Amino acid sequence: MASHEDATVVDKTIELFKYPELHHSMNTHQKIVVTDARTSTTTEPFVQELKQANINSLVVIPIVLFDQHVGSLLLRAARFEGNFSPREVSFFEIVAEAASNALERAQLFESIQVANERLERLAITDGLTGLYNHRHFRDHLQKEFERASRYRLPLACMIFDVDDFKKLNDTYGHLTGDLVLKEIAERTLKCVRKSDLIARYGGEEFVVIMPQTGREGAAVEGERIRAIVSDSPFREVPDEHRVTISCGVSILEHDVMLNAEDLLRAADQSLYQAKRNGKNQVVVAPEKGSK
């Protein structure tokens, strides 16, 4: 219970067993009007308390939302003369109806908000791995590149993919391949920082954006991801088949890399270098010029 008129009336507990008229209305889903609380069978258990409070009439009107009784408008009157008039009861019914409409609008608005949030999440999420998708990665990379360029901040990007993934699919089936990708996503999420963004780039390729990260830190994170994939067997793959990844890392070089594509292209070239070097390794792009 709370009151806008008395600031001290906040979070006060109401003992509902003292309101038999309210229980009766909730059980019957009907409006209750008591013209004489002293003689009504509904209020008989608490007639003395009502007399002490000079309450001689009362009304309870259900508040219904989507055919469900969600609340009640309860009024008790202490009057020297007269009871609730039909006009007053009619007015209270209008108030209860207004409350019901307000609750309905609020619930619909909340449902729409939840649905919109879910749709927004689906729009930026990869359906298989649960990671961010390629489109969201592109948007985020552009924002991070602009911020890093504006304030001359470090920024690193990493692309990695599964070594010999086609062979894994051909040997164990595409379902197993999908499960491997999901497990790689799970493992990688455990070792990246909260400030990093990891996404599925496409196929068996993944990408990580690492803000505020220089050459040494990016190399360490790349090696940590490589190790967490290769050092433990996968649930759906026989132990003798070792799943590994190759990683290409690039570091933003201000005044040399003019756009986000330059940063991404350098990471991609480093990934191909890791493949040529024998796979299951991390290659950091060499500096192209002085900062």
Side-chain angles (χ1 to χ4, degrees):
M1 182 173 68
S3 170
H4 70 282
E5 297 175 348
D6 185 349
T8 64
V9 184
V10 178
D11 293 333
K12 292 186 178 293
T13 301
I14 297 175
E15 296 175 315
L16 290 179
F17 74 91
K18 294 183 178 180
Y19 295 80
E21 68 274 27
L22 183 59
H23 280 283
H24 186 60
S25 175
M26 293 177 66
N27 290 333
T28 62
H29 305 290
Q30 299 294 321
K31 172 181 66 180
I32 302 295
V33 177
V34 175
T35 56
D36 188 348
R38 294 166 298 180
T39 60
S40 172
T41 56
T42 302
T43 56
E44 183 179 0
F46 297 96
V47 66
Q48 295 303 320
E49 287 87 342
L50 293 174
K51 284 182 179 180
Q52 291 175 5
N54 293 321
I55 293 173
N56 50 24
S57 62
L58 54 91
V59 61
V60 182
I61 302 173
I63 298 175
V64 179
L65 178 63
F66 302 126
D67 297 326
Q68 291 186 352
H69 190 163
V70 297
S72 298
L73 177 61
L74 168 64
L75 302 107
R76 286 176 166 181
R79 292 175 170 176
F80 293 105
E81 295 181 3
N83 302 310
F84 286 121
S85 68
R87 184 177 180 182
E88 287 175 317
V89 174
S90 178
F91 173 74
F92 298 149
E93 289 179 307
I94 293 173
V95 173
E97 180 67 20
S100 175
N101 290 336
L103 286 170
E104 181 178 356
R105 287 194 298 271
Q107 190 174 79
L108 287 173
F109 179 74
E110 183 178 356
S111 299
I112 291 171
Q113 277 191 313
V114 171
N116 285 339
E117 289 172 3
R118 183 172 180 272
L119 288 173
E120 288 175 6
R121 177 67 182 172
L122 289 173
I124 62 174
T125 303
D126 173 60
L128 175 65
T129 62
L131 300 176
Y132 289 113
N133 60 20
H134 184 275
R135 188 186 73 175
H136 183 70
F137 153 71
R138 286 282 187 171
D139 292 342
H140 192 78
L141 177 63
Q142 184 62 36
K143 292 176 183 177
E144 289 294 342
F145 182 87
E146 292 174 359
R147 186 171 72 94
S149 298
R150 183 181 302 116
Y151 300 108
R152 310 290 290 187
L153 299 172
L155 176 65
C157 178
M158 173 169 53
I159 301 177
F160 67 89
D161 75 355
V162 184
D163 295 327
D164 302 313
F165 188 67
K166 183 180 184 303
K167 182 179 178 181
L168 186 147
N169 273 335
D170 292 343
T171 304
Y172 303 106
H174 289 276
L175 178 59
T176 297
D178 287 348
L179 293 173
V180 167
L181 295 177
K182 289 178 67 174
E183 190 168 345
I184 288 176
E186 293 170 5
R187 295 187 187 189
T188 307
L189 280 171
K190 293 178 181 178
C191 65
V192 298
R193 303 169 306 176
K194 290 183 178 180
S195 58
D196 298 336
L197 181 139
I198 176 171
R200 187 182 181 192
Y201 192 59
E204 70 272 23
E205 287 189 321
F206 299 82
V207 64
V208 184
I209 303 173
M210 297 171 278
Q212 298 280 6
T213 306
R215 183 171 300 274
E216 183 178 349
V220 169
E221 181 151 330
E223 180 58 32
R224 186 163 61 242
I225 292 174
R226 186 206 62 78
I228 202 172
V229 172
S230 65
D231 289 357
S232 301
F234 280 67
R235 294 187 292 265
E236 303 298 329
V237 179
D239 291 351
E240 61 270 16
H241 186 110
R242 187 183 179 196
V243 177
T244 63
I245 60 172
S246 297
C247 307
V249 177
S250 63
I251 312 300
L252 175 59
E253 296 184 62
H254 299 289
D255 303 325
V256 175
M257 295 179 175
L258 303 180
N259 52 55
E261 289 299 320
D262 290 340
L263 181 66
L264 187 60
R265 189 178 300 110
D268 197 43
Q269 291 171 350
S270 298
L271 170 61
Y272 280 107
Q273 187 61 50
K275 295 290 188 181
R276 288 192 292 268
N277 290 350
K279 306 174 184 177
N280 190 27
Q281 59 187 273
V282 179
V283 171
V284 181
E287 293 185 74
K288 294 182 179 179
S290 58
K291 295 183 180 180

